[in-house]
Amino acid sequence: VRAAFRDVLQDRPFWLFITVVTLLAFTTSFYTLATPFWAKYTLGAGPRAPSLVFATVFIVAIASVWLWNRNVRALGDKRTWLWAVAVMLSSALVLGLAPNLIVGLLGAALAGFGLGGIKVCRKMIVATMVDRSLARTGHRREGVYYSVLRVFGKLSKVLEAGALALLGVLFGYVSGTEPGPDPGNAFRFLIGAFPFVFLVLALGLSWRLDLGGDK
């Protein structure tokens, strides 16, 4: 077991991919955290709006899987992954600038579409790295690869706490029941600015991913 973890942790392309996936996990975590408050304070929407936003994300994500699978066959893993991250980046812009629920739902649809592509490509990219490890060591180590990914995905909770603390400094946010003097812009910032920065970093790092024979 120790040798398996040592080999995986010395896999530099995998560490780059972990960084990208962690940034994407931060983004989806912020979307989930901010949506109820953003819908209420920023968009002035009714109490059913968050459910509508989440439903849009999940329905589009599920419905888009077949299209992303076709794109993988046509474009390869890396190019499809880059398109998926770029779509997520566009969703941060739309969500952050949305003036009303209709535009907000467009942003949610873009987030769902990008998420569908990320889910499809993530499995294929990890499979490629597992195959490389097999060729290098003679052992298949899927469990180790996925375990390490899950551990780093949990870091999003730490960043959520930091983001809420920053909202307190910038906008006077205290809690969900005491959102401060400017909750509309506070949650516009939370759902737009943080994800935008993370997704720009994720897209830039994704260009550096080496997937071998990918198109």
Side-chain angles (χ1 to χ4, degrees):
V1 175
R2 184 177 302 175
F5 273 97
R6 183 172 59 250
D7 176 65
V8 171
L9 295 177
Q10 289 175 348
D11 187 341
R12 295 183 66 181
F14 181 59
W15 274 107
L16 180 60
F17 185 62
I18 283 176
T19 304
V20 173
V21 170
T22 302
L23 291 168
L24 294 172
F26 290 162
T27 297
T28 55
S29 178
F30 279 122
Y31 282 172
T32 303
L33 172 68
T35 292
F37 304 106
W38 167 77
K40 178 180 179 179
Y41 294 111
T42 306
L43 303 183
R48 296 183 180 178
S51 297
L52 188 57
V53 170
F54 289 130
T56 300
V57 172
F58 289 123
I59 290 170
V60 173
I62 293 169
S64 68
V65 167
W66 71 273
L67 179 59
W68 288 112
N69 278 316
R70 288 185 60 184
N71 286 342
V72 168
R73 290 194 292 271
L75 302 176
D77 294 352
K78 182 174 179 178
R79 290 176 64 187
T80 304
W81 175 265
L82 289 171
W83 274 110
V85 176
V87 171
M88 285 290 285
L89 177 59
S90 71
S91 76
L93 287 172
V94 175
L95 290 169
L97 298 174
N100 52 53
L101 182 59
I102 299 300
V103 179
L105 290 176
L106 173 60
L110 287 169
F113 189 55
L115 187 61
I118 287 166
K119 293 293 186 183
V120 168
C121 294
R122 173 176 162 168
K123 292 181 179 179
M124 295 182 178
I125 291 172
V126 174
T128 297
M129 293 181 174
V130 170
D131 288 343
R132 284 182 175 180
S133 175
L134 174 62
R136 185 173 63 250
T137 68
H139 300 282
R140 296 196 67 86
R141 289 166 172 161
E142 295 98 329
V144 178
Y145 276 90
Y146 281 108
S147 295
V148 173
L149 276 174
R150 281 195 294 271
V151 168
F152 279 85
K154 301 297 183 182
L155 293 176
S156 60
K157 298 302 180 184
V158 177
L159 198 60
E160 281 181 17
L164 292 176
L166 184 58
L167 284 189
V169 174
L170 296 177
F171 298 98
Y173 171 85
V174 178
S175 67
T177 55
E178 296 182 56
D182 191 11
N185 283 326
F187 292 108
R188 188 183 297 279
F189 184 81
L190 185 62
I191 206 169
F194 279 111
F196 180 80
V197 171
F198 294 145
L199 289 165
V200 167
L201 291 172
L203 187 61
L205 292 173
S206 292
W207 279 102
R208 299 177 58 191
L209 282 174
D210 178 11
L211 300 179
D214 195 22
K215 299 178 183 179

